[in-house]
């Protein structure tokens, strides 16, 4: 890496100390303020802290930047001000110099790059937090893409994660029990280590490729084992357009794309008990026949039969608006705290009326749902403000964290695609009422 472990530590420790000072100053300043002023001050502090964390992590490649990216997707774990600031880490990172990339390829594959490839484009076509991707051609003439992990990323992973956790804790961002913190950060840590092991990703690609082999229009690149290792992953080149281009196509094509994205996620969860949990739009490409190409199988979450059946039961109770059963499901999932506080049925009914709209399954919905003009996310924010008094009865769940990230990510993919579609028949395929 460009910075040594010592420099990285000092930079992160400096960020933590600065945040600690701001948090202490904010606390003292508003000691005697009324509740409204304290909330306003906390929101301003969180905004300031979010920007500082995002700027610090944005300067540093590797695990720490990936932690920031993951954090930005867990809006139920982190205050919205912090999550919003961290969202800018989703953008492409500046690439690493070709000389370092070449050295990494030759070190990992134990041969000169000119022998391994007929052509290897020096400029990457994608650069992210833990590696970058180059187009290349094998000696056989086959077009491939080569994913190269930055040197030393894995060595800094644990210390990076620890420093980010300390900073968030000091800022008062992690308003939850130590046990729950441990569960959530273990989930993030495991997700990170999975993404850092390209052998695991190669295995995932083969498993998911076999699972989707009969799914017409769902394309998963194939692994070139001879040119892959723990830190290098070579795949067949599968071309497609990005989401912005696909959004300009006719609605009938967009409907095919939406159906395939739905089957991609729901099929895996209910059929494979393993799921691709990084629905970032950059991990998909689209073709004018409605085909979807899926990339990046590093972030995979496996579920037990009990967990999948519980998800299915929760979905069934949500669709039927059985709020008593739904609350029991939320307790079983670790989302609803087990205490004596009563939550009125209307609370759940109002949330279901918002959350189920995109699926076109509410009794009063006659037409297809138009994702291009969806107000669901705005309605959720408004509803949140009126539901604040009950929010203390809920907490993030390590069981559902990756699932939440995936479902919300796919919702945004359909919003940005701008599709108008009735998804109710697809829901029926997976949830038997």
């Amino acid at each position: 890496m460009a910075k040594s472990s010592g420099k990285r530590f000092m930079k992160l420790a400096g960020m933590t100390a600065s945040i600690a000072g701001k948090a202490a100053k904010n606390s003292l300043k508003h000691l005697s303020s009324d509740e409204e002023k304290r909330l306003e001050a906390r929101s301003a502090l969180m905004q300031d802290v979010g920007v500082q964390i995002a700027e610090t992590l944005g300067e540093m490649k590797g695990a720490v930047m990936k932690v920031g990216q993951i954090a930005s997707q867990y809006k139920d774990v982190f205050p919205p001000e912090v999550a919003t600031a961290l969202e800018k880490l989703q953008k492409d990172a500046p690439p690493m110099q070709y000389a370092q990339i070449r050295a990494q390829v030759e070190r990992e594959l134990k041969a000169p790059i000119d022998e391994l490839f007929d052509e290897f484009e020096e400029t990457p076509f994608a650069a992210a937090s833990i590696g970058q991707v180059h187009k290349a051609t094998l000696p056989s003439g086959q077009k491939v893409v080569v994913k190269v992990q930055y040197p030393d990323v894995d060595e800094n992973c644990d210390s990076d994660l620890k420093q980010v956790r300390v900073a968030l804790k000091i800022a008062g961002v992690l308003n939850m029990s130590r046990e729950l913190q441990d569960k959530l950060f273990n989930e993030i840590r495991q997700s990170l280590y999975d993404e850092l092991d390209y052998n695991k990703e190669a295995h995932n690609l083969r498993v998911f490729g076999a699972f989707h082999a009969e799914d017409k229009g769902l394309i998963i690149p194939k692994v070139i084992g001879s040119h892959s290792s723990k830190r290098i992953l070579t795949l067949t080149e599968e071309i497609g357009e990005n989401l912005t281009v696909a959004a300009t196509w006719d609605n009938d094509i967009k409907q095919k794309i939406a159906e395939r994205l739905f089957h991609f996620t729901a099929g895996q969860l209910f059929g494979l008990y393993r799921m691709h949990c990084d629905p970032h739009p950059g991990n998909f490409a689209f073709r004018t026949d409605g085909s979807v190409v899926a990339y990046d199988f590093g972030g995979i979450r496996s579920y037990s039969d009990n967990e999948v059946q519980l998800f299915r039961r929760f979905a069934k109770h949500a669709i039927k608006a059985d709020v008593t059963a739904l609350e029991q499901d939320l307790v079983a999932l670790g989302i609803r705290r087990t205490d004596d506080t009563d939550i009125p049925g209307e609370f759940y009914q109002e949330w279901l009326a918002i959350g189920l709209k995109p699926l076109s399954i509410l009794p009063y919905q006659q037409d297809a749902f138009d994702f291009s003009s969806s107000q669901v996310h705005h309605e959720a924010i408004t509803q949140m403000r009126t539901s604040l008094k009950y929010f203390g009865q809920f907490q993030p769940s390590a069981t559902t964290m990756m699932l939440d990230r995936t479902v919300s990510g796919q919702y945004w993919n359909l919003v940005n695609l701008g599709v108008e579609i009735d998804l109710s028949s697809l829901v029926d395929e997976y949830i038997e009422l």
Side-chain angles (χ1 to χ4, degrees), residues 69-82:
Q69 289 178 343
I70 291 172
S72 76
Q73 294 168 322
Y74 295 133
K75 294 182 174 63
D76 54 346
V77 178
F78 300 99
E81 300 89 349
V82 174

Side-chain angles (χ1 to χ4, degrees), residues 327 330-331 334-339 341-343 348 393-394:
E327 189 165 59
L330 290 170
V331 169
I335 296 169
R336 170 78 162 95
R337 295 179 193 270
T338 49
D339 58 23
T341 309
D342 272 344
I343 295 178
Y348 293 111
Q393 311 315 311
F394 299 91

Side-chain angles (χ1 to χ4, degrees), residues 1-45:
M1 299 296 293
K3 295 182 185 297
S4 69
S5 294
K7 281 183 182 172
R8 292 175 73 80
F9 179 82
M10 292 306 293
K11 195 170 186 65
L12 288 167
M15 174 189 78
T16 304
S18 169
I19 287 170
K22 286 175 184 172
K25 190 176 172 185
N26 181 74
S27 184
L28 284 169
K29 189 177 175 185
H30 297 280
L31 208 56
S32 56
S33 301
D34 61 31
E35 183 67 16
E36 195 173 331
K37 275 191 178 165
R38 274 204 301 273
L39 284 171
E40 279 178 21
R42 176 174 163 76
S43 181
L45 172 69

Side-chain angles (χ1 to χ4, degrees), residues 281-293:
N283 288 336
F284 297 99
F286 310 97
R287 296 176 181 171
T288 50
D289 64 353
S291 296
V292 173
V293 184

Side-chain angles (χ1 to χ4, degrees), residues 134-196:
H134 293 255
K135 290 185 178 180
T137 308
L138 296 179
S140 65
Q142 178 158 26
K143 300 283 186 189
V144 293
V145 294
V146 187
K147 191 171 168 182
V148 184
Q149 190 175 120
Y150 299 131
D152 306 326
V153 175
D154 42 0
E155 287 179 19
N156 294 313
C157 187
D158 277 345
S159 60
D160 280 2
L161 192 53
K162 191 184 279 186
Q163 282 297 317
V164 173
R165 179 172 173 171
V166 168
L168 293 171
K169 190 177 178 185
I170 286 170
V173 169
L174 299 174
N175 185 21
M176 60 188 79
S177 70
R178 176 66 188 264
E179 183 189 6
L180 187 54
Q181 277 185 48
D182 287 344
K183 278 185 182 174
L184 292 171
F185 272 85
N186 282 341
E187 184 86 5
I188 290 173
R189 184 175 178 274
Q190 189 55 54
S191 170
L192 261 172
Y193 272 104
D194 284 349
E195 290 197 41
L196 287 166

